Amino acid sequence: MRSFAPNGLARAAVRFKPASFVGTFVALMMSALIVAACGVLLETGARASVPAERYANAPVVAAADQSARLVSDTIDGPEETAYPLPDTARVDAGLAAKAARAPGAEAAVPDFTFPVRQGDGALTGHGWGSHAFTGTALSAGAAPGAGDVVLDAAAARTAKAAVGDTVALETAAGRAGFRVSGLAEAGAGDTAAAGTAAGGGATAWFADAEAPALAGHPGKADAIAVLAADGADTGALAAAVEKSLAGSGVQVLTGDDRGEVEDHGLAYAKETLLALGGSFGGIATLVAVFTAAGTVALSVGQRTREFALLRAVGATPRQIRRAVAAEALLVAPLAGLVGCLPGIALATWWFGQLKDRGAVPEAVDLHISWIPLLAAVGTGLLTALGAGWLAGRRPARIKPGQALAEASVERLRPGIIRTVLGLAAVGGGSVLAGVAASAAGADAANASLGVVMLFMLAVALLGPLVARLCASLFGLLLRGGGAAASLAAANSRTNSRRLASAITPIVLAMAFASTLVFMHTSESHVAAEQLRDGITADHVVTDPAGLPAGTAGRAARAPGVEAAVSLLDTQVLVPVDSGGETSLQGSATQGISGSGAQLAEVQDLDVRSGSLDRVGAGRIAIDTTLATAAKVEVGDELPLYLPDGTKARPEVVAVYGRGLGLAAVTMDRASLAGHVTSGFDSTLLVRGGDAEPLAALGEVTDASGYAVEQNVDRELGAWANYMMAAVLGGFAAVAAVNTLVMTVLDRRRELVTLRLVGSTRRQVLRMLRWESLLVSAAGVALGTAIAMITLTPMMRGLTGEFPHVPPLLYATFAATAVSLGLLAVTLPARAALRDRES
């Protein structure tokens, strides 16, 4: 470490050449900001947990595994991957009796939570036995028996019912009258459940013997809460319960693990945070390090003349290398520490936005520790040391006389190794683009991400050659712009390395922002078209609480109605091939109340092969993109996991083309109803008749109105894409401005020389504006080309269509890049000329 200690050369360089080091400081600070923010989100995802609320008084909970698990063979051996289930996996309610016999157990209560409709409103239903651990207590009447219900104050007030009255309630078992046997005040456990359930705050309790059937899952419970006897140890009780339930496949949980059974959003929150902090964080970190390294290299390269003079007066190569390393130690740690603070602020804001949008449960806290902060500072330091060593290697190695000669003129040819690596990156990107073009679904998307990264690497490695080519092409256009434009073209051709340093960050900003944003606009455009063309019904009926049972039959009896089909919307997990490995893909699924022929009268799925007429028990229809990813066709069996994790192998009887805008899987409702928490249908599609008679069933709109509502939901889901584009594009934009400012300030001697030979201040500024326009135009053109090379195969694989690029949005991106370039050049140039003239 002694050789890295700051020496006099390093301290003098920082003191007398602050402009170069300010630029380096800004780049390393921004790099630390990105790494720290993504690291905090990654750590939060890894440590995320929610405290038990409903089961707070039940020290041990037995529940089914809420994940589907796939085991794949890898080089290191079998590797298991868990995928969160779309809905709740349930356990055999009869296991409660076994758990109750475990030593140390006072009681074991099967727990049920399900939605209940009361008129136009909704309740949350439970089995009465749960009062033993939730704290719910009767305020009047008695516990429910067969055909009874206990209501809380809110539900009783809405129903205008008292003890002894009969209320009409609708459950998964249908509509029935229940006698109000009592009124109760919900305890903390039931209040927590009601606050997160679709039913809202109102609650109803039923007899435990009837609750499974009313929930739509006869013989099944959401979980089994085990209460401890006085003095029983929780750990010993958990071990005893696990032994009692051995072979049943259930998990025995204690502590915060119980919270994951209550809040299934935690698994998806972990997945989201890990994806943001890991997958996106990895890309963002590479971009940040890549850009910071370029800035450090530029800073070192700008002082080639100084290093040459030092070599001429006797400095050894070791002293030069030590000076560069010492400069990194002076700048990088401080820049990293300063960058960590806004990084934490960005992670905090981002995490709060995810909470506000329901992607992360309210009970999950943001974890901030020293680990991601140390990683951010260390990454910046290693980047500065590595980039500085590479940039300073040649001036430290060559002979003093040769160093002075090279410092006076720019090297025309890049190094052989750099050229070979750059050409290899171009070749690899081209090959991956071909792979993406021939793939579908996730394979196309994964390959396309490699395309953008390889082409960006190629631009960085071949920067001087690319810059010279751009200068030559744009120089032809600039020749007609007068003396200032011609001088800008000549300058750009002569100083291609300087031009490359300015172009690369603009290419980064344009390529990544365009790829992320236009990927979403392309998917949304295709989905909107499919949704608009696919809904052929005249009326669409929806209800936030779900549609009552028999809604389709009631609608079909309305005057003039030709067809009425209700849809139960959910998801299933389908094994798909991803890069040669099998993974589970969540696929939007609709369960239809009628036959496939009836569905065809209200929904045009664009059937490509097979027939919807055969959709029924054990037979499904799927989207063509999913069929390609799963490698199945009509007549094959498709292995899948139903929403609660139940395995099934239905036969594929039709393949259709509008799965992105509608649903990727279509199956009969009866096959789904027993595997979801809410058995109430989501949507009713009606053909023929008038809207007025349908108003009693729910909110009625037409197909176009329904399409608008669906598109709004899709836009909300795209927020993460825009955020990632903003983070990456914003970082690259700051890097571009930083680089341009460094370049202009380093040219102060050149600008003053131009003034001394007779150029006016206005002519010099005009020349710089032309150079800035050349840099911005080249960056925008290259970034756009990379984005389109990436997006075209990706969208062809995902949607079957070409990318959709809104002209106004693209023009905004391009105009922003040009405007930032002009400002970044003009403002420091004015200041430099003013200082010299004064």
Side-chain angles (χ1 to χ4, degrees):
M1 283 302 294
R2 183 179 176 183
S3 63
F4 288 146
N7 57 13
L9 289 177
R11 289 192 294 269
V14 174
R15 185 164 60 250
F16 294 112
K17 292 282 289 185
S20 295
F21 291 97
V22 168
T24 301
F25 183 91
V26 170
L28 292 173
M29 181 190 72
M30 293 295 295
S31 173
L33 186 157
I34 296 291
V35 176
C38 293
V40 169
L41 292 178
L42 179 63
E43 183 182 20
T44 300
R47 297 189 178 188
S49 63
V50 293
E53 293 183 336
R54 179 167 178 78
Y55 299 125
N57 295 325
V60 176
V61 173
D65 187 358
Q66 301 301 315
S67 299
R69 300 179 184 274
L70 279 185
V71 178
S72 55
D73 293 326
T74 66
I75 298 176
D76 299 326
E79 182 176 311
E80 184 180 74
T81 306
Y83 299 86
L85 294 174
D87 211 308
T88 302
R90 295 173 175 82
V91 299
D92 182 356
L95 293 175
K98 290 185 177 180
R101 292 194 291 270
E106 179 182 329
V109 182
D111 189 33
F112 316 93
T113 299
F114 51 95
V116 179
R117 283 185 58 93
Q118 178 187 4
D120 294 333
L123 311 174
T124 299
H126 297 292
W128 176 249
S130 63
H131 78 282
F133 59 84
T134 61
T136 295
L138 287 168
S139 58
D148 292 344
V149 65
V150 169
L151 302 177
D152 70 354
R157 187 165 52 249
T158 301
K160 298 179 181 179
V163 175
D165 293 343
T166 298
V167 294
L169 300 176
E170 189 159 3
T171 65
R175 186 180 180 85
F178 292 86
R179 187 182 71 88
V180 179
S181 66
L183 301 179
E185 183 176 345
D190 279 327
T191 301
T196 59
T203 310
W205 294 267
F206 302 86
D208 286 343
E210 292 185 336
L214 297 176
H217 313 104
K220 298 288 185 179
D222 295 348
I224 296 172
V226 183
L227 307 182
D230 291 340
D233 177 71
T234 299
L237 175 59
V241 171
E242 189 169 3
K243 184 177 180 180
S244 298
L245 302 181
S248 63
V250 303
Q251 296 180 328
V252 178
L253 310 171
T254 60
D256 283 350
D257 290 340
R258 296 170 297 167
E260 194 164 349
V261 179
E262 298 178 20
D263 196 337
H264 300 293
L266 178 61
Y268 287 98
K270 285 184 174 182
E271 198 173 60
T272 299
L273 291 169
L274 290 174
L276 281 175
S279 301
F280 169 71
I283 295 173
T285 299
L286 284 176
V287 172
V289 169
F290 181 74
T291 307
T295 306
V296 173
L298 175 63
S299 174
V300 174
Q302 286 177 340
R303 289 177 289 127
T304 303
R305 184 180 291 106
E306 296 173 24
F307 293 138
L309 289 173
L310 288 171
R311 292 283 286 124
V313 298
T316 65
R318 180 175 178 274
Q319 288 175 319
I320 299 294
R321 289 193 297 268
R322 181 185 171 191
V324 172
E327 290 165 6
L329 285 177
L330 284 173
V331 176
L334 180 59
L337 291 173
V338 172
C340 285
L341 297 178
I344 293 172
L346 174 61
T348 302
W349 179 83
W350 203 336
F351 185 76
Q353 291 295 305
L354 290 171
K355 272 191 174 182
D356 292 343
R357 284 164 173 77
V360 175
E362 281 295 326
V364 177
D365 295 322
L366 186 69
H367 287 275
I368 301 175
S369 73
W370 58 270
I371 298 175
L373 306 185
L374 179 63
V377 175
T379 300
L381 178 59
L382 292 176
T383 299
L385 287 171
W389 179 81
L390 289 173
R393 191 165 52 97
R394 183 171 179 81
R397 184 179 68 216
I398 62 177
K399 297 178 181 179
Q402 186 181 355
L404 285 171
E406 287 198 0
S408 61
V409 294
E410 185 177 273
R411 290 176 63 203
L412 296 180
R413 292 180 301 177
I416 295 176
I417 296 178
R418 183 171 181 171
T419 302
V420 171
L421 291 176
L423 293 175
V426 171
S430 302
V431 170
L432 271 184
V435 171
S438 61
D443 283 346
N446 292 336
S448 296
L449 288 176
V451 172
V452 70
M453 294 302 295
L454 284 172
F455 276 117
M456 283 307 312
L457 180 61
V459 169
L461 292 171
L462 302 177
L465 295 177
V466 173
R468 180 163 301 181
L469 178 62
C470 291
S472 299
L473 292 176
F474 286 101
L476 297 175
L477 301 176
L478 293 181
R479 286 178 184 177
S486 298
L487 185 57
N491 253 331
S492 300
R493 285 193 301 272
T494 305
N495 298 283
S496 58
R497 287 181 178 274
R498 184 176 67 198
L499 183 65
S501 299
I503 287 177
T504 301
I506 298 177
V507 176
L508 271 172
M510 198 69 190
F512 278 109
S514 297
T515 299
L516 288 169
V517 172
F518 297 143
M519 177 175 67
H520 164 66
T521 59
S522 300
E523 286 186 334
S524 294
H525 178 71
V526 173
E529 283 189 338
Q530 291 185 3
L531 182 61
R532 183 175 59 251
D533 297 337
I535 300 295
T536 57
D538 298 313
H539 310 290
V540 180
V541 183
T542 58
D543 191 317
L547 297 172
T551 298
R554 293 171 60 188
R557 293 190 292 271
V561 171
E562 300 173 17
V565 177
S566 61
L567 307 177
L568 177 60
D569 294 330
T570 184
Q571 276 195 344
V572 298
L573 298 180
V574 180
V576 297
D577 182 74
S578 178
E581 296 183 0
T582 301
S583 62
L584 292 181
Q585 174 181 305
S587 300
T589 302
Q590 59 180 11
I592 60 175
S593 62
S595 65
Q598 290 175 312
L599 178 67
E601 295 187 47
V602 294
Q603 198 179 76
D604 182 2
L605 289 171
D606 184 23
V607 176
R608 306 285 178 84
S609 60
S611 173
L612 293 176
D613 294 348
R614 296 189 59 211
V615 171
R619 298 186 300 274
I620 64 173
I622 63 173
D623 173 63
T624 181
T625 303
L626 180 60
T628 302
K631 296 183 178 179
V632 296
E633 56 187 20
V634 172
D636 293 340
E637 289 186 345
L638 176 65
L640 54 80
Y641 292 83
L642 294 173
D644 64 351
T646 302
K647 294 182 180 181
R649 297 184 64 90
E651 177 190 356
V652 177
V653 297
V655 174
Y656 53 85
R658 291 191 173 126
L660 183 62
L662 297 171
V665 178
T666 299
M667 58 197 306
D668 68 307
R669 185 189 184 285
S671 298
L672 278 177
H675 303 280
V676 294
T677 296
S678 175
F680 297 126
D681 293 328
S682 314
T683 309
L684 173 66
L685 304 178
V686 181
R687 183 170 184 175
D690 297 326
E692 187 176 350
L694 302 175
L697 303 178
E699 183 179 346
V700 183
T701 185
D702 57 14
S704 60
Y706 175 70
V708 168
E709 291 177 4
Q710 296 295 99
N711 288 337
V712 169
D713 292 340
R714 194 178 297 275
E715 290 295 327
L716 291 175
W719 174 83
N721 258 25
Y722 285 116
M723 270 299 303
M724 290 187 287
V727 170
L728 278 180
F731 171 78
V734 170
V737 170
N738 185 42
T739 303
L740 287 170
V741 171
M742 289 175 62
T743 302
V744 172
L745 293 178
D746 186 60
R747 296 172 63 188
R748 282 175 293 188
R749 182 178 301 167
E750 173 192 336
L751 300 181
V752 172
T753 302
L754 288 173
R755 292 284 284 119
L756 290 175
V757 299
S759 299
T760 66
R761 189 168 182 269
R762 183 177 180 184
Q763 287 174 325
V764 173
L765 289 175
R766 187 179 297 168
M767 177 200 73
L768 290 173
R769 290 192 189 101
W770 278 115
E771 287 186 13
S772 172
L773 185 62
L774 188 154
V775 167
S776 301
V780 168
L782 286 171
T784 301
I786 292 174
M788 293 309 296
I789 292 173
T790 303
L791 282 170
T792 300
M794 180 190 291
M795 290 301 104
R796 294 291 291 175
L798 290 174
T799 68
E801 304 287 342
F802 287 99
H804 174 70
V805 180
L808 184 60
L809 188 56
Y810 176 77
T812 301
F813 284 179
T816 301
V818 172
S819 300
L820 286 175
L822 287 172
L823 287 173
V825 166
T826 303
L827 295 180
R830 286 180 182 275
L833 289 172
R834 187 166 51 247
D835 291 342
R836 289 293 180 176
E837 290 171 358
S838 61

